[in-house]
Amino acid sequence: MDRTTHQHEHHAHEQHTRAPHAPHHGGGASWRTAAQATLHCLTGCAVGEVLGMVIGTAAGLHNAGTVVLSVALAFVFGYALTMRGVLRAGLPVKQALKVALAADTVSIAVMELIDNTVMVGVPGAMDAGLSQLLFWVSLALSLALAFVLTTPVNRWMIGRGKGHAVVHAHH
């Protein structure tokens, strides 16, 4: 495809994706767009969070160590998932990292705050073994709650051209 055609399709894509973002009464993003962005972010976060909780629990790490490991892995996997897409779009690694940092940092931070607060707050969840239902139900609940509470944050950010909105310029 030639450059002009690609630019035209990119412009058409921008027009198409911007239209549903505009609410009926002022600036902002649609709830659907925010939910999609949050789900994208949650995918990377969940991989890191679950892996961190499983490794920390299986290794018998102290709760604080398990939380730190989970948060670190959530950021790594969250950024990696975003970078995969923008690298595929042709951005160099350094620019892709900048896009991922701008797109996902706030979203991942909010999700991690919520889901780790739930995990620590549910009595016995952090001390439950990997074979115990309490561990898995608490982890699932923490991720679901993180999704629900982070979606409005992402909606607000996307509506202001921040957060996951910066990724759309590179699709």
Side-chain angles (χ1 to χ4, degrees), residues 36-104:
Q36 288 173 336
T38 306
L39 186 59
H40 177 268
C41 190
L42 182 65
T43 302
C45 282
V47 170
E49 182 73 23
V50 171
L51 189 59
M53 288 289 169
V54 168
I55 291 170
T57 301
L61 295 180
H62 186 273
N63 290 349
T66 299
V67 168
V68 168
L69 179 61
S70 295
V71 170
L73 290 175
F75 274 96
V76 167
F77 281 94
Y79 290 146
L81 186 61
T82 296
M83 285 184 64
R84 185 188 71 170
V86 294
L87 286 170
R88 199 175 312 143
L91 261 64
V93 173
K94 187 175 180 180
Q95 185 64 28
L97 180 60
K98 287 180 182 180
V99 169
L101 291 171
D104 293 337

Side-chain angles (χ1 to χ4, degrees), residues 72-139:
L73 290 175
F75 274 96
V76 167
F77 281 94
Y79 290 146
L81 186 61
T82 296
M83 285 184 64
R84 185 188 71 170
V86 294
L87 286 170
R88 199 175 312 143
L91 261 64
V93 173
K94 187 175 180 180
Q95 185 64 28
L97 180 60
K98 287 180 182 180
V99 169
L101 291 171
D104 293 337
T105 299
V106 172
S107 184
I108 294 171
V110 171
M111 282 188 195
E112 288 306 297
L113 176 67
I114 294 164
D115 65 45
N116 283 291
T117 298
V118 170
M119 284 301 292
V120 170
V122 172
M126 292 292 294
D127 297 320
L130 297 178
S131 64
Q132 294 179 319
L133 187 61
L134 176 62
F135 175 84
W136 294 104
V137 170
S138 299
L139 188 54

